[in-house]
């Protein structure tokens, strides 16, 4: 079945070889897929999901987009940009303490005109439901975008993204991604076969553990397959690694700082403190441990997030 989609992102994103990082680590052959350059309000992986979510929102004739995330949520920033671009009111439930001075993604949320409701991390999903109900009572027509845009509809963005690999002459043995709400990984796994991708997809856990992430990705894969009529994909294809969660979600430690600096110095490429910094730290450690064959081609799929480099506390931690 053809799922409706609104073309928003700058696609296909580029795939670049990383020669100096490959040399610095002594192989395998490392490449980067630039989904940090999808074009919507500094871009990122959520833009691909939002192409499908916006189509669903339009079909429901809504006037308000509501979503949820952490204070430096890249997802929420892309929802805010989308709302501004297409003329929706935007309400974001953000977990954290309202700072005196907004920075990074939060500053961008404000520039895009989003209304922000503050919550605790434990209460934010409940708060999302409450905000949707309140908006309805006020006569608005809200569309609720789930955490991370990870629904069966949203993950279609990554089913489609896999097709871009066919445009590239080289075949990849591995794709490495940060994986958190699971939609990116589930979409990639569902789209792999149709795109002729025969390698493996490794999700580096950003929070939680292997068991939780595995089950989240598995259920999203089932829902996604059902939605678009693709044959179910075996759960054995779900590869996750929770060795790198460090201090937990959003806590940038030494491995992330080292990874951000190494990519900046060897390739002039910027990672983010929460997702790609952590996933790259995992990738670098796995390379050093000999996890990959020297001749493998490994695609590091850059999912975005770089505006958080300019947010507290990351801004201070990255000095010198
Ligand atoms: C949301 C996000 C991810 C995780 O994607 P999921 O689909 O939630 O697993 C990875 N990287 C960045 C930069 C993100 O904003």
């Amino acid at each position: 079945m053809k799922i409706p989609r609104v073309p928003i992102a700058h696609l296909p994103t580029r795939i670049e070889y990383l020669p100096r990082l490959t040399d610095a680590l002594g192989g395998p052959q490392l490449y980067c897929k630039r989904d940090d350059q999808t074009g919507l309000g500094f871009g990122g992986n959520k833009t691909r999901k939002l192409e499908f979510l916006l189509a669903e929102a339009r079909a429901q004739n809504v006037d308000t987009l509501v979503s949820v995330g952490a204070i430096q949520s890249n997802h929420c920033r892309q929802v805010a940009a989308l709302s501004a671009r297409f003329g929706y009111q935007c309400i974001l439930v953000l977990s954290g303490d309202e700072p005196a001075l907004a920075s990074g993604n939060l500053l961008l949320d404000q520039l895009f005109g989003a209304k922000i409701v503050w919550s605790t991390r434990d209460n934010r999903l409940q708060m999302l439901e409450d905000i949707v109900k309140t908006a309805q009572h006020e006569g608005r027509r809200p569309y609720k975008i789930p955490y991370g845009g990870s629904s069966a509809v949203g993950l279609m963005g990554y089913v489609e993204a896999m097709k871009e690999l066919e445009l590239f002459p080289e075949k990849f043995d591995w794709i490495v991604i940060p994986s958190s709400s699971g939609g990116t990984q589930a979409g990639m796994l569902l789209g792999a076969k149709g795109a002729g991708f025969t390698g493996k997809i490794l999700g580096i856990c950003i929070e939680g553990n292997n068991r939780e992430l595995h089950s989240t990705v598995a259920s999203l894969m089932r829902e996604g397959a059902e939605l678009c009529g693709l044959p179910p994909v075996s759960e054995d294809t779900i590869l996750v690694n929770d060795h790198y969660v460090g201090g937990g979600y959003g806590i940038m430690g030494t491995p992330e700082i080292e990874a951000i600096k190494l990519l900046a110095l060897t390739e002039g490429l910027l990672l983010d403190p929460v997702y790609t910094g952590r996933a790259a730290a995992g990738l670098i450690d796995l390379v050093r441990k000999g996890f990959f064959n020297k001749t493998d081609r490994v695609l590091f799929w850059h999912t975005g997030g770089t505006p958080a480099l300019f947010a507290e506390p990351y801004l201070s931690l990255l000095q010198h």
Side-chain angles (χ1 to χ4, degrees):
M1 201 186 99
K2 187 112 178 77
I3 317 288
R5 173 181 190 176
V6 184
I8 302 163
H10 299 178
L11 303 178
T13 56
R14 284 182 58 148
I15 294 176
E16 294 167 343
Y17 180 50
L18 305 177
R20 281 170 41 80
L21 181 67
T22 298
D23 277 357
L25 296 173
Q29 304 296 304
L30 297 169
Y31 295 77
C32 184
K33 173 103 169 127
R34 299 296 305 274
D35 276 18
D36 56 323
Q37 304 286 320
T38 53
L40 177 69
F42 281 133
N45 64 339
K46 304 313 181 303
T47 304
R48 290 188 189 267
K49 301 179 183 182
L50 290 171
E51 290 197 318
F52 287 88
L53 292 162
L54 178 63
E56 186 176 64
R58 276 187 170 175
Q60 295 176 13
N61 190 30
V62 301
D63 60 11
T64 305
L65 304 183
V66 189
S67 201
V68 62
I71 180 168
Q72 284 298 328
S73 167
N74 303 300
H75 164 67
C76 288
R77 180 247 311 158
Q78 287 162 86
V79 171
L82 182 81
S83 302
R85 176 149 163 206
F86 290 91
Y88 293 94
Q89 193 194 8
C90 179
I91 309 176
L92 301 174
V93 176
L94 298 182
S95 56
D97 295 320
E98 183 175 6
L101 199 63
S103 58
N105 284 304
L106 180 62
L107 173 67
L108 301 178
D109 296 342
Q110 292 184 0
L111 288 176
F112 293 132
K115 180 180 165 197
I116 291 159
V117 178
W118 294 96
S119 171
T120 60
R121 194 180 155 98
D122 288 345
N123 196 41
R124 64 188 178 183
L125 295 179
Q126 182 56 49
M127 186 78 97
L128 176 70
E129 301 303 323
D130 295 348
I131 293 294
V132 168
K133 283 203 194 90
T134 309
Q136 279 163 343
H137 284 141
E138 290 169 0
R140 306 203 68 88
R141 298 186 305 278
Y143 176 78
K144 179 177 71 179
I145 303 180
Y147 179 68
S150 285
S151 63
V153 170
L155 66 83
M156 291 305 144
Y158 274 90
V159 174
E160 290 300 310
M162 291 300 280
K163 296 181 182 161
E164 293 174 18
L165 296 181
E166 292 178 292
L167 306 170
F168 198 71
E170 319 283 7
K171 295 275 170 255
F172 296 103
D173 302 287
W174 288 91
I175 292 172
V176 177
I177 50 160
S179 193
S180 174
S181 70
T184 302
Q185 189 166 2
M188 285 180 173
L189 287 166
L190 266 186
K193 191 156 186 238
F197 177 74
T198 54
K200 294 183 174 135
I201 299 168
L202 175 62
I204 305 290
C205 291
I206 297 307
E207 59 190 313
N209 59 44
N210 285 344
R211 188 181 42 78
E212 289 164 355
L213 182 60
H214 190 283
S215 98
T216 305
V217 173
S219 52
L220 284 167
M221 269 167 57
R222 278 194 299 276
E223 292 165 30
E226 199 169 316
L227 177 70
C228 63
L230 280 170
V233 173
S234 164
E235 287 187 18
D236 297 344
T237 58
I238 305 173
L239 304 177
V240 288
N241 184 328
D242 62 9
H243 289 173
Y244 304 101
V245 294
Y249 182 86
I251 309 294
M252 184 174 67
T254 310
E256 289 85 11
I257 295 174
E258 281 175 2
I260 289 169
K261 290 187 174 170
L262 184 62
L263 273 283
L265 287 171
T266 55
E267 297 289 347
L269 186 65
L270 295 171
L271 302 176
D272 82 282
V274 180
Y275 295 94
T276 53
R278 179 158 292 173
L283 171 65
I284 291 163
D285 186 60
L286 290 169
V287 169
R288 289 184 175 144
K289 284 181 173 152
F291 177 84
F292 303 102
N293 293 322
K294 291 272 178 226
T295 52
D296 280 351
R297 287 198 187 87
V298 179
L299 182 63
F300 181 71
W301 202 306
H302 194 322
T303 47
T306 45
L309 285 172
F310 308 106
E312 289 295 351
Y314 312 121
L315 183 62
S316 318
L317 291 170
L318 288 164
Q319 304 296 314
H320 309 297

